[in-house]
Amino acid sequence: MANKTMTALGKQKSVIRELAGFGAERAKVVGPENVLNFSIGNPSVPAPKEVKEAILDIIQTETPQAVHSYSAGNGMESTRKAIADNLNKRYGTDYGADNLYMTCGAAASLNIALAALIEEPSDEIVVLAPFFPEYTVFIESQGGKMVLVEARDDMQLHAEDVEKAITKNTRAVLINTPNNPAGVIYSKEALEELAAMLEKKSKEFGRPIYILSDEPYRELVLVDDAEVAWVPSIYDNTVVCYSWSKSLSLPGERIGYILVPGKVEDKDLMPAIGGAGRALGYVCAPTLMQKVIERCVDVEPDVEVYKKNRDLLFDGLTEMGYVVAKPAGAFYLFIKSPDGDSETFSDRAKEYDMLVVPGTGFGSKAFMRLSYCVDTETCEKSLPIFKEMMDKYYR
């Protein structure tokens, strides 16, 4: 018999993927230009030219064996050193290659880190709503229990809310800033309050409570004076999970890393990371992409289109009376359905060939996610539909 848990997971529908599939079918009927698809977070900005140049040069100048062979399980030392140098330059840190473990993207990073931290079925991982729906799958598949902190209207981090969820079984608090799905950036002050609380609780329970910082949107900052704080400089027991899927527009290439700073209390954590990666069968991160990242680690993303789309949608929707959490990063809006039922709103939007993701899986049924990593024309076309829906259903 097949594993029942995995069978159930395989049969479980992903609302995001299901909407994307619906959009693909509708595009065959009405044309892709007439489907306003805000469902999936595929970057619309092409990868920077430096990425293409690096790929071509590597393939043309290096031997096939060098490009396509296995790397070490933790990744190529030269790539890890390049990443460490970049972080040190940006954040005034002193990381070396040994602080990094290359992965097949942020999903792999999170699964590996969770497997390294979770020991018992009673072990808990605290997650702040709204959250990426796959967190539930990642935590439970690695043998832990997810404990949810409900969101406030501002979608921000509030240490006092997190503290209520902390128990002697808490192994880590999983944070995501800039946030998917709300696009908010947690303030440095809020992170400092969280750190102080976790230090107190760690001493109380006699073992460290980690922060798992999921950061695939770290470089997508859309407000000029906004700061994405470097969490390991605020709290020593921080593990960073990163991906270039969004910053370099490479979601299909599956390349990322785990950072374990030297200041973490448990010096066995990095060996546990290596063991978890081995046990989960990742073998190594893609060798070609490691070589590309080594060359492109200092390349910054172009976020101007995302800024334009965000301003167009946020200003238009709030003027119509929609309640929207104001995003400072990533490329998402989290919009409150006027009647508090995002599932019904999403179904009604499909009648207009407009796809928005209900927020139930993100931990907030009232809100829905809109991914504005699309052509600006798509955003412009959506505004009359949002207005018609508001006037038709909710006035």
Side-chain angles (χ1 to χ4, degrees):
M1 293 291 290
N3 181 292
K4 292 181 180 179
T5 300
M6 295 299 120
T7 299
L9 186 59
K11 291 181 177 180
Q12 188 181 89
K13 294 180 180 179
S14 164
V15 176
I16 299 173
R17 303 286 176 179
E18 193 173 50
L19 275 172
F22 173 85
E25 291 302 311
R26 287 296 298 160
K28 296 175 184 177
V29 178
V30 301
E33 72 280 2
N34 295 313
V35 178
L36 308 183
N37 191 347
F38 298 105
S39 65
I40 199 163
N42 263 329
S44 56
V45 175
K49 62 180 177 60
E50 291 90 343
V51 171
K52 180 178 179 179
E53 291 168 354
I55 292 172
L56 290 173
D57 187 63
I58 291 166
I59 291 174
Q60 290 169 355
T61 62
E62 299 195 29
T63 67
Q65 186 176 22
V67 175
H68 302 301
S69 294
Y70 298 119
S71 78
N74 61 349
M76 298 169 58
E77 183 175 5
S78 56
T79 302
R80 291 182 285 118
K81 183 180 184 305
I83 298 166
D85 290 345
N86 171 271
L87 295 174
N88 293 339
K89 178 172 60 179
R90 294 167 65 189
Y91 301 115
T93 48
D94 60 352
Y95 306 132
D98 289 345
N99 294 114
L100 289 145
Y101 184 98
M102 302 302 297
T103 67
C104 301
S109 296
L110 286 166
N111 274 286
I112 291 168
L114 289 164
L117 288 173
I118 294 170
E119 293 183 280
E120 304 290 342
S122 58
D123 285 347
E124 298 170 347
I125 306 296
V126 174
V127 173
L128 285 64
F131 63 95
F132 179 48
E134 293 299 283
Y135 286 173
T136 306
V137 179
F138 298 163
I139 292 166
E140 292 179 356
S141 68
Q142 301 312 324
K145 176 184 177 183
M146 190 177 87
V147 177
L148 185 63
V149 176
E150 297 291 339
R152 299 192 191 184
D153 287 345
D154 61 4
M155 306 294 164
Q156 280 287 346
L157 162 65
H158 298 277
E160 61 269 32
D161 295 347
V162 179
E163 184 170 11
K164 295 173 184 176
I166 301 294
T167 73
K168 62 181 178 60
N169 296 319
T170 305
R171 297 294 283 143
V173 176
L174 175 51
I175 65 172
N176 173 219
T177 177
N179 176 260
N180 174 11
V184 299
I185 295 174
Y186 296 158
S187 70
K188 184 177 181 181
E189 292 73 22
L191 289 165
E192 288 172 340
E193 291 175 6
L194 176 67
M197 183 271 290
L198 291 179
E199 287 172 2
K200 180 185 72 174
K201 287 294 184 179
S202 294
K203 290 178 182 176
E204 178 183 337
F205 298 132
R207 69 174 186 179
I209 299 173
Y210 286 89
I211 290 178
L212 279 182
S213 189
D214 179 28
E215 303 187 359
Y217 302 94
R218 186 172 65 219
E219 275 67 52
L220 300 188
V221 178
L222 308 181
V223 177
D224 291 340
D225 60 351
E227 175 192 8
V228 179
W230 182 239
V231 184
S233 293
I234 296 172
Y235 186 66
D236 288 346
N237 287 313
T238 296
V239 176
V240 174
C241 297
Y242 186 79
S243 167
W244 283 275
S245 291
K246 315 301 181 181
S247 60
L248 293 183
S249 298
L250 298 172
E253 307 305 335
R254 311 315 304 145
I255 186 70
Y257 67 74
I258 300 171
L259 172 78
V260 179
K263 291 182 178 180
V264 297
E265 186 174 329
D266 187 348
K267 302 308 178 187
D268 283 336
L269 184 54
M270 183 56 93
I273 294 286
R278 182 181 179 187
L280 290 168
Y282 286 110
V283 182
C284 66
T287 300
L288 171 59
M289 294 314 300
Q290 290 190 61
K291 289 176 176 286
V292 171
I293 293 303
E294 185 175 334
R295 298 188 186 200
C296 298
V297 69
D298 294 322
V299 176
E300 296 290 331
D302 179 2
V303 298
E304 291 308 310
V305 171
Y306 300 146
K307 287 182 179 180
K308 183 178 181 179
N309 290 354
R310 181 207 56 175
D311 292 343
L312 177 70
L313 289 167
F314 181 81
D315 293 345
L317 290 169
T318 52
E319 187 176 333
M320 294 174 200
Y322 287 94
V323 175
V324 186
K326 188 163 189 179
F331 41 52
Y332 304 110
L333 288 179
F334 213 39
I335 308 165
K336 189 172 185 179
S337 175
D339 66 351
D341 186 349
S342 64
E343 293 176 358
T344 298
F345 190 101
S346 178
D347 286 340
R348 288 170 174 168
K350 288 165 69 176
E351 298 172 8
Y352 297 85
D353 289 320
M354 184 172 75
L355 311 182
V356 297
V357 183
T360 308
F362 297 97
S364 179
K365 184 180 179 181
F367 283 75
M368 54 204 157
R369 190 187 77 170
L370 187 151
S371 300
Y372 55 83
C373 47
V374 296
D375 293 338
T376 300
E377 184 181 3
T378 299
C379 300
E380 292 169 342
K381 287 181 176 180
S382 74
L383 291 175
I385 294 173
F386 275 108
K387 186 174 189 310
E388 183 175 340
M389 289 185 66
M390 177 68 87
D391 292 342
K392 181 176 181 179
Y393 295 113
Y394 303 111
R395 295 295 187 194

